[in-house]
Amino acid sequence: MTALTLSTAAVPGLRADAIVVGVAKGGKGPVVAPGAEAVDQAYDGKLADVLGTLGASGAEGEVTKLPAPAGFKAPVVVAVGLGALPKKDEAFGAESLRRAAGVAARTLAGAKKAAFALPIEDAADAGAIAEGALLGAYTFDAYKEIGKNAKNGKAPLGEVALLGGKPRDAAFKAAVARATAVSEELNRARDLINTPPNDLNPEAFAAVAQAAAEEHGIQVEVLDVEALEEGGYGGILGVGIGSAAGPRLVKLTYTHEAATKHLAYVGKGITYDSGGISLKPAGHNETMKCDMSGAAAVFAAVVAAARLGLEVNVTGWLALAENMPSGSATRPGDVLRMYSGKTVEVLNTDAEGRLVLADALWAASAEEPDAIVDVATLTGAMVLALGSRTYGIMANDDAFRSAVHEAAEEVGEAAWPMPLPDHLQKGMESPTADIANMGERAGGGLVAGLFLREFVGEGITWAHLDIAGPAFNEGGPFGYTPKGGTGTAVRTLVRLAELTAAGDLG
């Protein structure tokens, strides 16, 4: 992974492949952002004019390269757009810095070292830039030949030196350490999401979780098929029974001796979703390796919490299965007896995520945590409602839903609160079982949330994050977001754990 350092070195004498500066969009053209004073001075104070002549405007995501001034050790200056110039007495927002750093890091793929001279007013700015650079530099090349003669891409940027930071300042060091831990675990989640399903079935995912847990002092328990049958986990088994690769339920437990609160995170982990007997049509199954993004996010968040030593107990539940059609697969019309004891009539085997989550939610509820948050690529309806970059938040408590939304906004993850209308419950009534796994088509994302609510223990605060839109980016990269697996929700979950540890949540 890209190395990261804080540096107070003078820009002209710094040995690097490029110097990154920020440029904002002003009323009369580009404006050089703070942090780039030394570079601007080397251009006789005319860097903004030079950039304007080259067509730069300072718009977010814009990149302009130009030869470095005479006397600089670095050969190239990379000017990256920060977006609109802040109002007087206001600073650039954390997300603007994060995105600009991500764009710069991705642009400099193949370079060994780059110095980032972006605006830094405090430790939080340094953390945002560090996070953006580490996330933006991400590449998934495990299955590609990367090298001098390869045609499949470039290695990620090797090292980022953050200029303007304070290497000996405790707050700056803590901000960079946090950014490193969160980014490394988020990128691990991306790796899992991008891994082909023939190499990442439930057993393989469980093995990855076990190895990470042992490395970071996290307790781990893995329920295999036999254990799931003995425990009566009918939802997970009902989904995974059609595959030759059996399902797993992984429990990760991070504890801190000073903790007074307990959070439970539950992740949907369908390592490949064919739809089962209700088979997906061609054009809708090619990216279904990403249907375990919720479990990847939960896994990454628990490990990040452990690495950060947060004073909160966090339990992660990974509900892992492969949804395949076969002679042993669950059929539309079958009735499953869930871990909670409720029976569910399966009307559509492609509405499988809610079945594995239901068992995991009930298992999590048995420990009576202070709050449960589940994460899932659950419904296409949520994508239709909110698009491909925003996830939906539902909850059984309006205040908690708002708190989750605020946490998401704080870390730069686009999310939106959604309702759970009780009138939609009627559509899931079944003449055969306690509840059906399908309801009205209109508002399908909300129906799925209502189904999950049925499996949350009484009196437990709960939120559901439907990340179906932003979990997997099928378009081009933007900001610090790559094509493919994004790691959506990891930063929100980590922030919720931080807030809980600080006593600011619940």
Side-chain angles (χ1 to χ4, degrees):
M1 184 169 173
T2 303
L4 190 71
T5 58
L6 289 166
S7 176
T8 57
V11 176
L14 189 64
R15 294 186 181 277
D17 296 299
I19 305 294
V20 176
V21 299
V23 56
K25 191 172 184 178
K28 297 181 179 180
V31 178
V32 178
E37 290 84 359
V39 179
D40 188 29
Q41 185 178 359
Y43 283 99
D44 296 325
K46 297 181 179 180
L47 178 56
D49 293 338
V50 173
L51 291 170
T53 300
L54 293 173
S57 67
E60 182 182 301
E62 181 182 78
V63 175
T64 307
K65 295 182 179 181
L66 62 161
F72 273 51
K73 297 291 186 182
V76 176
V77 170
V78 176
V80 60
L82 288 160
L85 187 69
K87 296 178 181 178
K88 187 178 180 180
D89 298 326
E90 290 185 4
F92 289 95
E95 184 64 5
S96 295
L97 297 175
R98 206 178 279 121
R99 291 177 181 176
V103 170
R106 184 173 61 254
T107 299
L108 290 167
K112 292 182 179 180
K113 181 178 180 179
F116 281 45
L118 295 172
I120 294 181
E121 289 198 358
D122 54 25
D125 288 345
I129 294 170
E131 188 173 89
L134 294 175
L135 296 178
Y138 172 84
T139 59
F140 183 70
D141 52 23
Y143 294 82
K144 290 183 177 181
E145 181 183 356
I146 300 294
K148 187 174 181 180
N149 299 316
K151 299 179 180 179
N152 290 318
K154 300 176 181 178
L157 173 61
E159 180 183 348
V160 171
L162 293 187
L163 305 179
K166 300 177 181 178
R168 297 183 181 181
D169 184 279
F172 276 80
K173 289 192 290 185
V176 170
R178 179 195 181 279
T180 300
V182 173
S183 298
E184 286 181 351
E185 295 312 321
L186 192 152
N187 284 339
R188 194 206 300 254
R190 289 172 170 177
D191 281 347
L192 289 168
I193 298 164
N194 288 324
T195 298
N198 58 316
D199 281 344
L200 191 77
N201 59 26
E203 183 179 5
F205 195 149
V208 171
Q210 283 179 300
E214 292 173 5
E215 179 183 356
H216 296 289
I218 300 168
Q219 293 180 326
V220 60
E221 180 183 1
V222 179
L223 301 186
D224 59 13
V225 173
E226 182 178 354
L228 291 170
E229 289 174 343
E230 290 179 358
Y233 291 86
I236 296 174
L237 288 166
V239 174
I241 198 171
S243 172
R248 297 288 189 274
L249 177 62
V250 179
K251 178 185 177 184
L252 299 167
T253 304
Y254 162 70
T255 57
H256 192 286
E257 59 183 9
T260 59
K261 295 287 186 177
H262 176 200
L263 293 177
Y265 294 153
V266 177
K268 172 188 172 183
I270 305 300
T271 57
Y272 181 75
D273 182 18
S274 70
I277 296 297
S278 305
L279 195 66
K280 293 180 184 291
H284 291 77
N285 53 18
E286 291 82 357
T287 61
M288 282 298 102
K289 64 182 181 180
C290 78
D291 214 17
M292 37 60 68
S293 296
V298 166
F299 164 56
V302 174
V303 177
R307 290 182 59 176
L308 295 172
L310 300 182
E311 292 186 9
V312 59
N313 295 332
V314 183
T315 306
W317 299 84
L318 317 182
L320 309 176
E322 188 175 64
N323 187 22
M324 297 291 284
S326 72
S328 62
T330 294
R331 299 158 288 254
D334 282 356
V335 173
L336 304 177
R337 185 170 295 280
M338 311 296 281
Y339 182 58
S340 69
K342 284 184 187 289
T343 55
V344 176
E345 182 180 11
V346 179
L347 299 180
N348 187 328
T349 64
D350 196 23
E352 84 299 328
R354 63 199 72 181
L355 299 176
V356 301
L357 285 173
D359 276 357
L361 283 168
W362 193 255
S365 296
E367 297 190 340
E368 299 183 344
D370 293 284
I372 298 175
V373 180
D374 77 70
V375 188
T377 46
L378 205 60
T379 66
M382 196 58 62
V383 184
L384 292 175
L386 297 178
S388 61
R389 295 191 183 184
T390 305
Y391 67 77
I393 307 170
M394 285 149 271
N396 61 2
D397 180 278
D398 288 348
F400 188 59
R401 183 182 63 186
S402 296
V404 174
H405 185 210
E406 289 170 5
E409 287 189 320
E410 185 178 349
V411 298
E413 293 196 317
W416 196 251
M418 301 292 282
L420 288 174
D422 288 331
H423 72 271
L424 291 175
Q425 191 82 32
K426 186 173 179 60
M428 291 185 286
E429 292 180 356
S430 166
T432 309
D434 294 322
I435 192 172
N437 77 327
M438 293 291 288
E440 294 183 29
R441 184 175 183 182
L446 313 182
V447 169
L450 287 166
F451 179 90
L452 295 178
R453 190 177 67 178
E454 292 293 307
F455 298 89
V456 177
E458 186 176 354
I460 297 176
T461 301
W462 158 80
H464 161 56
L465 314 185
D466 190 338
I467 63 170
F472 196 84
N473 176 26
E474 296 188 58
F478 58 93
Y480 49 84
T481 302
K483 183 178 178 66
T486 64
T488 292
V490 172
R491 290 180 296 142
T492 298
L493 296 180
V494 173
R495 187 61 188 142
L496 287 172
E498 289 176 325
L499 292 168
T500 303
D504 295 331
L505 187 72

